[in-house]
């Protein structure tokens, strides 16, 4: 899914375990109760450079999801408080 445009997409309850979501546009996407994080093989979801502007993240789980300085989150969303891990890019 690297670089995909999922703006305004309904991804409610989608399982993104271990997915390469680098540079994905999630602007205004419904990610309510979506699950990010490690796959059953231990690979982490990577959202480096992704854009979550105005995305609905209510109930989303980001345990061990990787992000970087280029990742854009909605206002008042704290990535570390939601289980994301920042890497240097």
């Amino acid at each position: 899914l690297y670089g995909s445009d999922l703006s305004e997409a309904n991804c409610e309850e989608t399982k993104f375990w271990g997915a390469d979501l680098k540079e994905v546009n999630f602007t205004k996407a419904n990610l309510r109760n979506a699950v990010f994080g490690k796959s059953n093989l231990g690979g982490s979801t990577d959202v480096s450079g992704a854009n979550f502007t105005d995305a609905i993240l209510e109930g989303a789980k980001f345990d061990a999801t990787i992000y970087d300085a280029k990742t854009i989150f909605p206002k008042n969303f704290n990535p570390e408080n939601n289980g994301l891990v920042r890497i240097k890019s």
Side-chain angles (χ1 to χ4, degrees), residues 2-60:
Y2 177 91
S4 297
D5 183 2
L6 297 177
S7 57
E8 300 186 29
N10 182 7
C11 298
E12 187 168 353
E13 298 185 8
T14 298
K15 311 298 188 251
F16 289 110
W17 294 312
D20 182 356
L21 302 174
K22 289 185 226 111
E23 299 181 22
V24 170
N25 182 4
F26 285 112
T27 301
K28 297 183 180 178
N30 176 6
L31 296 166
R32 188 175 282 119
N33 298 314
V35 181
F36 298 79
K38 292 191 176 194
S39 70
N40 60 353
L41 298 176
S44 293
T45 303
D46 190 340
V47 297
S48 299
N51 184 348
F52 290 94
T53 302
D54 296 328
I56 301 167
L57 300 178
E58 180 183 323

